[in-house]
Amino acid sequence: MRNARACLSIEPKGVQVSVSAVLSVSKSPVSAGLKRTMPLVLGLLLGGCISSRDAPVERALDNPADLGLSATPAPVADGEWWTAYQDPQLDRLLRGALADNPTLAQALARVREAQAQASAVRADSLPSISYDATEIRKRFSAHDPIPPIAAGTQKWQGSEGLNLSWDLDFWGRQAALVQQANTQSEAVALDLAAARLSIAGAVVRSYLELDRAYALADVAQRTERQRLQILSITQRRYKAGLDTQVELRQAEGAVADVRVDLTQIQAERDRAVHLVAALSGQGAAAHEKIERPQLRADAVLALPGSLPIDLLARRPDVLAARSRIAGSRAGLRAAKAAFYPDINLLAFAGTSAIGFDNLFHGSSRTFGAGPALHLPVFDAGKLRALYRDSAAQVDLAVSTYNQTVLQAVQQTADRISDIVALDAGLQQQQQSLDAAEDAFRLATDRYQAGLTTYLTVLATETEVLFARRQRIELMSARDIARVTLLIDVGGDFHVPT
């Protein structure tokens, strides 16, 4: 016959009340009365299901069209974009920075952790088989009717066998949990891509700062040579009686001033070398090995005629935020499915006997199979609270995504404006530099010919020094802005086809 069992279990503090029903199968005929009552029992159980009503409404995603974004994200750019600079030393430094970086190591460990968790969740959705065996020395009660032959004696009681359990997942709860785990794994992998992009950007920007320091040192050295030439002219004029000791001392002081500037610039260059070495994972031993950068920033990193705004969808942080929305929505579906009956398929086969010698007799075999149902009836609002929590997680993920996209749009727009302004400023500044260079050359010639004073030469030389430094600062700011824009759009200006 078939035996059906339904039970009501109450947790110690009255927090959880659950109803379960197990149908076990034997070789006997099925009871007709039980067959008639089973649908009623199941109907009563289903009718007692806790309701998931009053769940909060999700926040909506910002319309990509309103933000100037494409609705379909482009793939993450995963190329070594820094090779466009055609600088072998930079390539070597980037390889070192990305090969053994603590931040990347942490991100990679989180990726492996998320992947392992996703595999564990997928395993829960598949049938599980286990083998259990017990052998216990037991004294049987003399007043226990089972088994009467062992009443009042001590004997070994044992069992062994295989057990199968399979969650049939009628309501899609396990499938939602698997999707949630997979999307979380994808988001963590995108976090790794974002960390890699950020580290590469930091190394390239520090390398550009090093190039700027070398350029400023060039200007200081050029200025030193010019002031030495002016000092030589002043000395000759002093000997000829055309200048006084005042002009001579001023020319000597100007040489000392530029040498002080050169010392400070060289110290700044050394600090830039130290930073580049640290970011590339090297210590003090690498400082002397880092040479002057040989960059070709304009050759490859020039802006295209028009920058498609949908390139923002390449950004790993935007894609990771979108993956977390999908994961939180899958978690919400899993939380809602928890309100419905949990139906498992159970089966076992093995032996059970009193006395170790009897355990492996053919007559000691036992087996069974059937469904098991679990349905929450009263849980003091726990499931509903968990459902509201899942809905809040969706709202948080959506809000985070909206904020990430808005920041990406703002950052990219700001960077484009900076580059346009710097390009225009460089054109104007070139005219200023040319004029300053001409004025200084004319003043020097006139001073040497005795047609003007030293103060005129000093004034024009100060203007040309300022213009040279300003040009280097503008060029460095533009190159760094281009790299930052490159990072803002995910590491590549190439439009996907």
Side-chain angles (χ1 to χ4, degrees), residues 72-89:
T72 303
V76 178
D78 194 26
E80 296 183 347
W81 52 268
W82 54 85
T83 59
Y85 285 107
Q86 302 179 29
D87 189 331
Q89 179 176 241

Side-chain angles (χ1 to χ4, degrees), residues 365-392:
R365 69 182 184 277
T366 180
F367 54 87
L373 182 144
H374 171 82
L375 178 70
V377 175
F378 174 73
D379 64 352
K382 179 180 179 180
L383 284 179
R384 193 172 296 169
L386 292 176
Y387 186 51
R388 289 196 300 269
D389 176 72
S390 297

Side-chain angles (χ1 to χ4, degrees), residues 1-3 23 25-36:
M1 65 178 178
R2 297 184 183 224
N3 295 320
L23 181 65
V25 181
S26 67
K27 296 182 178 180
S28 303
V30 179
S31 167
L34 182 59
K35 288 178 63 178
R36 289 192 299 270

Side-chain angles (χ1 to χ4, degrees), residues 36-49:
R36 289 192 299 270
T37 59
M38 182 58 66
L40 176 62
V41 173
L42 292 178
L44 291 174
L45 293 177
L46 291 173
C49 179

Side-chain angles (χ1 to χ4, degrees), residues 350-372:
T351 59
S352 177
I354 297 176
F356 185 77
D357 295 340
N358 299 325
L359 185 60
F360 298 101
H361 287 181
S363 58
S364 298
R365 69 182 184 277
T366 180
F367 54 87

Side-chain angles (χ1 to χ4, degrees), residues 233-286:
I233 295 172
T234 305
Q235 288 172 340
R236 291 195 300 270
R237 287 171 57 87
Y238 175 73
K239 290 179 181 180
L242 299 176
D243 278 337
T244 66
Q245 194 173 9
V246 173
E247 286 81 13
L248 179 61
R249 299 300 293 171
Q250 285 179 329
E252 291 174 346
V255 173
D257 286 342
V258 76
R259 285 174 176 171
V260 171
D261 291 341
L262 180 58
T263 301
Q264 294 176 345
I265 292 171
Q266 288 173 341
E268 182 181 354
R269 183 182 62 193
D270 291 340
R271 290 192 296 270
V273 169
H274 303 163
L275 178 59
V276 169
L279 290 175
S280 61
Q282 303 180 74

